[in-house]
Amino acid sequence: MTATRIDGKAFAAGVRARVAERVARLKEEQGIVPGLAVVLVGEDPASEVYVRNKGKQTVEVGMNSFEHKLPAETSEAELLDLIGKLNADPAVHGILVQLPLPGHLNSDLVINAIDPAKDVDGFHISNVGLLGTGQKAMVPCTPLGCLMMLRDHLGSLSGLNAVVVGRSNIVGKPMAQLLLGDSCTVTIAHSRTKDLAALCRGADILVAAVGRPEMITGDFVKPGATVIDVGINRVPGRNGILGDCHFDSCAEVAGAITPVPGGVGPMTIACLLANTLTACCRANGLPEPEGLTA
Ligand code: GUN
């Protein structure tokens, strides 16, 4: 292996420490405690693990964590009623509705009922529009985490060729917007892209967010490129989780690469905490935390 391994676990710990430091100051100087409300509908085991981790880390950085666990058969009206109450609650600065929701609930409708200023996932249509037009938005956590690691590793991203493989609303599209905001030349590729390997070989920054285990191999990578692997894939018969990149062959060619696990994954919750802090500062007319926003 020749590539530098970008340690997302350590980076995320650093982000949480910076969040905790500002939270402590907010408490001491203003008497304000940021609060994050997480809403979980139903009993999806993976979601329960995520929600538990979010709650634990929220408390660890000194914020208030409000968990709302609702039964799978909760009606849309009941869920919208809870969101309305959280929107109106001044102790709640961030609201996250864990996805996926049970099939009878319209996710778009539910997400768009959240006050955009409290939408710490950055999924509300207003935040999508603000990000797309280069205005101050709440930015989705996973792409924000990728951006922070890229800036830390590369310094300025200006003029670099970036290829984002994957066009999801949660990762691919906002990632492309963020890279464009940092003056990269951005291409979004996907499953129908012709000669994907050749396209990716032109990338100084390659972000893999396709959800296909080990699809990106070393022959997709430009020598010295920075590779960010967003994949979290479980494959029967293989232990643990696999990324979208075949780590060993990519690491032979890349200049730097994030591993799976221990790369992008830990950054998602760290950025959720950063977004909650940002939302709290904005709500109180205080300066935003430095280096923790796009
Ligand atoms: N489910 C899995 N990841 C996420 C996330 O980042 N936000 C929400 N709301 N649901 C998720």
Side-chain angles (χ1 to χ4, degrees):
M1 161 170 166
T2 55
T4 302
R5 191 187 176 94
I6 299 176
D7 186 345
K9 210 171 152 186
F11 200 92
V15 169
R16 289 196 303 273
R18 279 190 282 154
V19 170
E21 187 263 333
R22 182 70 193 275
V23 169
R25 266 203 295 134
L26 269 179
K27 210 177 286 188
E28 198 175 294
E29 293 170 9
Q30 322 276 342
I32 296 168
V33 181
L36 171 63
V38 174
V39 181
L40 175 62
V41 186
E43 280 153 20
D44 176 59
S47 292
E48 287 191 340
V49 173
Y50 279 136
V51 168
R52 213 168 27 245
N53 283 336
K54 282 169 191 161
K56 187 166 162 273
Q57 294 190 30
T58 304
V59 172
E60 277 169 6
V61 296
M63 296 182 184
N64 287 328
S65 170
F66 307 102
E67 275 181 27
H68 295 267
K69 290 191 177 178
L70 307 179
E73 56 280 5
T74 299
S75 71
E76 210 158 74
E78 286 168 320
L79 182 54
L80 292 174
D81 182 60
L82 172 61
I83 290 172
K85 287 184 174 126
L86 297 174
N87 283 343
D89 185 344
V92 173
H93 303 95
I95 302 170
L96 180 145
V97 177
Q98 185 68 26
L99 301 176
L101 287 170
H104 67 283
L105 299 170
N106 179 338
S107 307
D108 288 337
L109 189 90
V110 170
I111 296 301
N112 288 324
I114 297 171
D115 176 349
K118 298 189 179 189
D119 169 38
V120 282
D121 261 329
F123 295 165
H124 189 289
I125 196 69
S126 295
N127 282 314
V128 176
L130 290 166
L131 178 62
T133 51
Q135 299 179 71
K136 196 173 276 196
M138 293 307 303
V139 175
C141 303
T142 300
L144 178 59
C146 295
L147 183 75
M148 283 184 192
M149 289 196 287
L150 284 167
R151 284 176 175 168
D152 180 72
H153 185 71
L154 292 169
S156 169
L157 310 186
S158 180
L160 297 179
N161 289 332
V163 172
V164 179
V165 189
R167 53 177 158 178
S168 70
N169 291 334
I170 293 179
V171 182
K173 287 179 196 162
M175 186 76 250
Q177 297 286 5
L178 289 171
L179 291 165
L180 202 52
D182 270 26
S183 302
C184 291
T185 302
V186 182
T187 307
I188 304 183
H190 46 78
S191 56
R192 304 282 176 90
T193 298
K194 286 183 190 148
D195 204 352
L196 181 63
L199 181 77
C200 291
R201 273 197 303 277
D204 304 304
I205 294 170
L206 180 58
V207 180
V210 260
R212 293 202 194 170
E214 299 183 329
M215 191 190 104
I216 307 290
T217 47
D219 56 318
F220 286 55
V221 179
K222 177 178 176 176
T226 304
V227 178
I228 304 290
D229 189 350
V230 184
I232 298 181
N233 305 289
R234 275 165 238 278
V235 178
R238 298 277 299 266
N239 278 339
I241 54 169
L242 296 179
D244 289 348
C245 297
H246 182 268
F247 186 83
D248 289 345
S249 63
C250 289
E252 286 295 325
V253 189
I257 183 167
T258 59
V260 175
V264 173
M267 285 299 287
T268 298
I269 296 184
C271 287
L272 174 69
L273 303 175
N275 276 350
T276 304
L277 174 60
T278 299
C280 177
C281 290
R282 288 180 187 168
N284 288 284
L286 297 166
E288 291 181 14
E290 268 176 45
L292 296 175
T293 56

